Each structure stands twice: as structure tokens, then as C-alpha cells.
């Protein structure tokens, strides 16, 4: 135990003796009594020419005034807040359903909470669940996950929501008796269910379903995963048509795991240049797989004994050939106890591991990738979390890893708190050609108080073309074309 403690102290100290590149902390928005698991999304809500930030927050099973927050991109001031009876953790989607010229916000979280919110005022336009939360589980309603709209299904000229619902946050890890989840299509205008079916094999779900068109524009196909941290599961696909007929019983299996499930969203990209999207999936049970979009078989797989994976893969040009590569963050230990995380680079063409090393603590947020120095190779960017066992203080700092040149440096100051599962973003927020870095961090790690902050760092990177600039990529759905 003493050796482990000393090793952690050394890692903590050395992590912050790297080269530090000074960046300007332009603003920080502070929110009391709320954790932030949601990743930031952007829309110009106040019509001033600068993107504003929309993000979800709150605490599990506890009402909060900071359920959904809209932050002015220019100065960090709060444009509006919407309260919620429990934690909101999905990332926002946008479409203008009240036809006022401003995009409205679609976001959700635990225990039946999903909202359409007026982008101008922050007032709910509809709520999926209007009854008390104590009645939700009794009616088979649990936690919502979703990352994208799908095309209009009821001919009202508005997109619909593709969502999953499942999970039991009160269940202990060893309890295999979990409620059966479902996937559904919800009317974007009214919040009512247009189509729904329960999952195969009576499994739970945490995976946010994704839509692709590998079989043609008239054959929209849903990708979804089942199982959990301690429940076996599979990665499936089923046609949107089947779901719209309320029957996914003939869903096809792509990957399976006999021990644990498929929780995090996949990344879809044509790695073998055959015109079809291949599927890159990281599952809880230490596995990363590439599934060929044509044959539906695994091209390569890597397994990491004694590790588990909770983050969606990050794609980028790390090795220099014509194929994108894969970066993942893996947790050492078994749910819910993890002592450190590793960062791993996998050659996208061969499936071989080309890098693996320590990557901090509590790394449940995905990394970003961008060619910062314009040398044809992407750098890996993420917020690395650290814990000082002497002071028992948690802190974090933005880290940039240039694998091609084997160079690591930090951006901006060391900040109190921990980035949990909120993936940061690279965005040219005011459209001046220079990118900003935006991330959310919370101080609840071994703290008696709870608060969260959203920070904007003003960078010096001009003409940047990020490969993976935010959670699930440029379009927020994991699809790279």
C-alpha cells in the first residue's frame, strides 16, 4: 500500500512538470449543487453571432435548479436555466419546433426525464414524463439515452428522436435481475411515443442507439447495444422500419460478450475504403473491436485483461498511413473500483497496439483529436484527472499528446475538480478562425461540497481542422464520412 501511495504521488507530481503552453482562460461559469456528466453542445441562442453552450447537470435522485443550462459563449453569463427533478446527462440536440427562428433544445437523463426546451426562454415546450418520478419505474420508464435525430416519420416536417430507455441506478453490481429496456422513436414536436419495442433477451440498456445507411438511403438501420457493467450483452442492428412497426425481435447480432455488456456508443467510419461504414466499438469487458460494414464480422479485436472501457473510441490520424487510428481510455480494475486509467492507441489498419501508458484517474470522458501543428498527424487532447493522496485534492488539466513526435504538454492552468464523463469540445465559438477549448469539471471527488464549472480556454490554433472535435465527432452521432 505504501509503495502504491508513493507511486501515485510521483505520477501526480510528474504529470504537472511537463511543458505547459500558456492559454487564456477567457471565462468560467459556476453552478452550485450540480454535477455535470453531459457534454457541451452549441447553438447561437441569443443570435449575437457567437455560439452559446448548452449542457445538462444535477444530482442523482435530487431536484436541481441547474438541470439544463444555457451559457453565453461571449462572456460565460447564464442565458437561462431549467430545473429538473434529477440529473440530466445526455448531450443536447437542436431543432426549431416552435418556428421562432431560434433552435430549441432537446435533452434528457434519469428516470423518464426528456425535454424539448424553448431556445430563447429556457421554458419547456414539452416533457416526456409529467408524473412523479416514483411512478416512472412502476410503469417501466427509466433512464433515457440518445445522440441523434432521425428523419421525419409522421410527416409534420420535423425530425424525430431515436432513444433508448433502461437501467436501474439503485441496483447493486451483483444483482442480475434488471428491468428490461426498450428503444423508441419519439415525436419531436410533441414528445409522444411513435414507435417502441422491448429489447431482445430481456436485457437492460445504457447504449444510445445510432442510425446508419450502409444498405442504402431507403434502408435506415439502427445500431444498439445491450447489457451492463455486470450483465452480459450484445451489439445489435435492426432496421428503422422494423422499429416503426414496433417489432425488433429479428434484430441481428454483430458482437457478443458472455460476461459484460455494450454500454458506450460506437464510432462508424469507412476504414477499409469500400464505401461502407465500419463499426469501432469499445465494450466494458476490456475489448475494442472493428466490425466490417459489409461482412458484419470482426476485422480485428484487442483485449486488455484487468481493464474495462467506459469511453467511446476517438479516431484520428496517429500512425501516418491512409487509415484512421483509434484511441481509447481504459480503466484498471472492476466496476465500480478503478485505481488508474491507461491510454491506448490502436493502428486502425492492422489492429495492433502501438502505444499504451498511464492516463490519469477517473477518465470517463472521451478524448479529442486534431492536427495542431499541421504535420499531417493528429494530436490527442483530453482533460487528465489527478488526485494528490497527501492533500486529498482532486485537480485536472488539459493535456495534449503528440504521438508522432512523442511530445506531451499541457494547456492552461491546473483546475480544481474532476472531469467525469463530460467530453470537452474544440470549437471556433465566435467564427474568427481561432479555436476555443470548452470543458466542464466538478469538484465532488472527496469533497463535502458539490459544484461544477464550465470553462472556456482561448487557444492560439489557427486554421485548425479537428478530426474528432467533440463527443462522438463533428455531427455528434459517431459517424465519420
Amino acid at each position: 500500500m505504501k509503495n502504491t501511495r508513493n507511486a501515485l504521488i510521483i505520477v501526480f507530481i510528474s504529470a504537472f512538470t511537463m511543458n505547459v503552453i500558456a492559454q487564456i482562460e477567457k471565462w468560467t461559469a459556476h453552478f452550485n449543487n450540480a454535477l455535470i456528466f453531459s457534454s457541451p453542445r452549441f447553438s447561437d441562442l441569443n443570435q449575437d453571432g457567437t455560439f452559446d453552450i448548452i449542457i445538462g447537470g444535477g444530482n442523482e435522485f435530487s431536484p436541481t435548479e441547474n438541470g439544463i443550462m444555457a451559457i453565453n459563449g461571449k462572456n460565460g453569463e447564464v442565458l437561462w436555466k431549467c430545473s429538473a427533478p434529477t440529473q440530466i446527462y445526455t448531450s443536447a440536440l437542436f431543432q426549431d419546433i416552435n418556428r421562432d427562428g431560434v433552435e430549441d433544445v432537446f435533452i434528457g437523463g434519469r428516470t423518464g426525464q426528456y425535454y424539448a426546451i424553448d431556445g430563447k426562454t429556457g421554458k419547456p415546450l414539452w416533457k416526456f414524463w409529467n408524473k412523479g418520478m416514483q411512478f416512472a419505474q412502476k410503469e417501466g420508464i427509466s433512464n433515457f439515452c440518445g445522440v441523434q435525430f432521425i428523419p421525419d416519420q409522421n410527416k409534420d416536417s420535423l425530425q424525430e428522436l431515436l432513444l433508448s430507455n433502461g437501467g436501474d441506478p439503485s441496483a447493486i453490481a451483483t444483482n442480475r435481475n434488471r428491468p428490461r429496456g426498450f428503444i423508441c422513436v419519439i415525436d419531436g414536436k410533441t414528445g409522444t411515443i411513435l414507435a417502441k419495442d422491448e429489447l431482445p433477451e430481456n436485457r437492460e440498456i445504457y447504449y444510445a442507439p445510432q442510425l446508419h445507411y450502409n444498405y442504402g438511403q431507403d434502408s435506415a438501420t439502427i445500431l444498439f447495444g445491450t447489457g451492463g457493467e455486470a450483465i452480459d450483452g450484445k451489439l445489435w442492428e435492426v432496421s428503422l422500419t422494423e422499429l416503426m412497426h414496433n417489432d425488433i425481435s429479428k434484430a441481428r447480432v454483430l458482437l457478443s460478450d458472455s460476461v459484460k455488456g455494450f454500454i458506450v456508443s460506437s464510432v462508424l467510419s469507412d476504414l477499409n475504403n469500400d464505401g461502407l461504414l465500419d463499426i469501432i466499438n469499445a465494450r466494458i469487458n476490456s475489448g475494442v473491436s472493428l466490425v466490417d460494414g459489409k461482412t458484419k464480422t470482426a476485422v480485428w479485436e484487442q483485449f486488455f485483461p484487468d481493464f474495462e472501457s467506459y469511453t467511446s473510441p476517438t479516431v484520428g490520424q496517429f500512425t501516418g498511413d491512409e487509415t484512421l487510428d483509434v484511441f481509447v481510455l481504459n480503466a484498471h480494475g472492476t466496476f465500480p473500483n478503478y485505481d488508474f486509467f491507461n491510454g491506448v492507441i490502436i493502428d486502425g489498419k492492422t489492429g495492433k497496439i502501438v502505444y499504451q501508458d498511464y492516463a490519469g484517474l477517473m477518465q470517463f470522458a472521451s478524448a479529442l483529436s486534431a492536427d495542431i501543428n499541421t504535420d499531417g498527424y493528429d494530436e490527442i487532447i483530453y482533460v487528465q484527472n489527478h488526485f494528490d493522496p497527501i492533500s486529498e485534492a482532486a485537480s485536472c488539466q488539459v493535456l495534449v499528446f503528440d504521438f508522432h513526435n512523442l511530445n506531451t504538454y499541457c494547456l492552461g492552468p491546473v483546475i480544481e475538480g474532476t472531469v467525469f464523463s463530460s467530453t470537452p469540445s474544440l470549437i471556433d465559438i465566435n467564427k474568427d478562425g481561432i479555436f476555443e477549448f470548452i470543458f466542464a469539471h466538478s469538484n465532488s471527488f472527496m469533497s463535502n461540497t458539490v459544484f461544477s464549472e464550465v470553462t472556456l480556454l482561448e487557444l492560439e490554433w489557427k486554421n485548425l481542422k479537428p478530426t474528432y472535435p467533440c463527443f462522438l465527432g463533428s455531427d455528434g452521432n459517431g459517424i465519420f464520412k
Side-chain angles (χ1 to χ4, degrees):
M1 182 68 182
K2 184 177 180 181
N3 289 338
T4 301
R5 177 186 175 92
N6 290 340
L8 284 173
I9 294 172
I10 292 169
V11 167
F12 179 82
I13 294 172
S14 65
F16 292 103
T17 56
M18 304 173 191
N19 293 329
V20 178
I21 307 299
Q23 305 294 334
I24 300 172
E25 183 180 338
K26 190 172 182 180
W27 55 252
T28 292
H30 184 96
F31 301 96
N32 288 320
N33 302 315
L35 301 176
I36 292 180
F37 284 21
S38 170
S39 298
R41 293 295 194 230
F42 306 92
S43 180
D44 185 2
L45 300 182
N46 59 5
Q47 310 261 278
D48 65 352
T50 296
F51 287 113
D52 305 305
I53 298 94
I54 299 86
I55 200 164
N59 303 307
E60 192 173 346
F61 307 127
S62 178
T64 177
E65 64 178 6
N66 296 315
I68 304 100
M69 296 85 78
I71 305 166
N72 189 322
K74 280 188 175 180
N75 53 30
E77 294 179 356
V78 175
L79 295 176
W80 51 254
K81 298 192 294 186
C82 181
S83 62
T86 187
Q87 187 180 51
I88 303 299
Y89 55 75
T90 73
S91 297
L93 301 170
F94 306 99
Q95 70 170 330
D96 182 9
I97 63 171
N98 60 7
R99 311 295 192 187
D100 65 354
V102 174
E103 289 185 313
D104 302 308
V105 178
F106 296 75
I107 195 169
R110 299 189 184 278
T111 323
Q113 301 307 301
Y114 209 93
Y115 301 78
I117 299 172
D118 188 312
K120 275 187 178 180
T121 67
K123 304 297 183 183
L125 298 172
W126 56 253
K127 298 180 182 180
F128 176 83
W129 188 255
N130 289 299
K131 304 176 186 178
M133 287 195 300
Q134 68 270 27
F135 301 111
Q137 288 281 17
K138 293 180 180 179
E139 296 192 25
I141 304 295
S142 190
N143 309 317
F144 275 115
C145 292
V147 296
Q148 69 184 114
F149 288 113
I150 63 171
D152 178 21
Q153 300 296 304
N154 58 3
K155 300 181 180 180
D156 65 356
S157 300
L158 294 170
Q159 299 176 99
E160 323 300 356
L161 291 152
L162 175 64
L163 302 174
S164 64
N165 188 277
D168 183 359
S170 65
I172 62 174
T174 56
N175 182 4
R176 296 183 60 84
N177 184 23
R178 305 294 181 91
R180 187 178 185 180
F182 62 85
I183 57 174
C184 62
V185 173
I186 290 180
D187 183 359
K189 185 176 183 179
T190 66
T192 57
I193 292 178
L194 298 179
K196 169 188 171 183
D197 198 17
E198 294 182 313
L199 297 173
E201 301 179 341
N202 295 298
R203 288 298 184 269
E204 62 179 343
I205 189 168
Y206 301 92
Y207 189 109
Q210 298 162 280
L211 197 71
H212 69 76
Y213 294 89
N214 265 359
Y215 307 116
Q217 287 301 308
D218 296 327
S219 300
T221 300
I222 300 166
L223 184 69
F224 67 97
T226 59
E229 295 96 338
I231 306 295
D232 62 296
K234 294 180 172 67
L235 187 68
W236 307 76
E237 68 173 14
V238 68
S239 72
L240 176 59
T241 299
E242 288 172 277
L243 177 57
M244 293 308 299
H245 285 94
N246 305 297
D247 183 6
I248 62 170
S249 61
K250 295 181 180 179
R252 283 75 65 190
V253 176
L254 300 178
L255 293 171
S256 62
D257 193 296
S258 61
V259 180
K260 298 176 183 179
F262 293 76
I263 289 180
V264 297
S265 297
S266 303
V267 173
L268 290 80
S269 181
D270 182 10
L271 295 194
N272 58 7
N273 298 310
D274 66 354
L276 298 177
L277 294 172
D278 306 307
I279 300 165
I280 308 162
N281 179 269
R283 58 183 179 269
I284 290 292
N285 195 23
S286 72
V288 180
S289 304
L290 174 65
V291 177
D292 186 280
K294 183 177 183 180
T295 66
K296 305 302 178 185
T297 58
V299 177
W300 54 253
E301 291 186 304
Q302 282 290 352
F303 293 93
F304 305 92
D306 303 320
F307 285 84
E308 296 184 347
S309 184
Y310 277 89
T311 61
S312 178
T314 299
V315 295
Q317 182 53 261
F318 307 133
T319 63
D321 59 22
E322 72 280 5
T323 304
L324 289 175
D325 306 301
V326 180
F327 177 78
V328 291
L329 289 159
N330 291 329
H332 183 260
T334 302
F335 175 81
N337 300 309
Y338 305 112
D339 52 0
F340 68 90
F341 283 65
N342 269 359
V344 181
I345 297 176
I346 303 172
D347 187 313
K349 187 173 184 178
T350 66
K352 293 181 179 179
I353 297 172
V354 296
Y355 171 86
Q356 184 171 201
D357 205 351
Y358 174 84
L361 306 173
M362 302 287 288
Q363 301 294 154
F364 295 111
S366 296
L368 313 180
S369 68
D371 184 5
I372 299 168
N373 57 9
T374 65
D375 65 353
Y377 295 83
D378 285 325
E379 282 74 51
I380 296 166
I381 312 154
Y382 64 99
V383 184
Q384 191 173 93
N385 297 316
H386 296 278
F387 174 66
D388 183 351
I390 297 177
S391 65
E392 295 189 346
S395 60
C396 59
Q397 190 171 27
V398 182
L399 182 143
V400 178
F401 175 41
D402 180 351
F403 172 66
H404 178 60
N405 295 298
L406 295 179
N407 180 34
T408 300
Y409 56 92
C410 295
L411 300 177
V414 176
I415 293 177
E416 178 186 4
T418 304
V419 173
F420 289 114
S421 62
S422 176
T423 296
S425 292
L426 277 171
I427 183 173
D428 180 3
I429 199 163
N430 55 3
K431 307 167 190 174
D432 64 352
I434 302 175
F435 273 68
E436 286 75 29
F437 186 89
I438 297 171
F439 65 106
H441 45 99
S442 303
N443 83 319
S444 70
F445 190 56
M446 304 215 35
S447 173
N448 293 323
T449 61
V450 175
F451 68 80
S452 293
E453 293 179 332
V454 178
T455 295
L456 183 147
L457 296 180
E458 196 169 58
L459 306 174
E460 300 173 352
W461 302 338
K462 297 181 180 180
N463 304 313
L464 191 68
K465 294 182 179 179
T467 300
Y468 195 103
C470 58
F471 179 55
L472 292 178
S474 300
D475 295 328
N477 58 12
I479 295 177
F480 292 77
K481 294 182 178 179

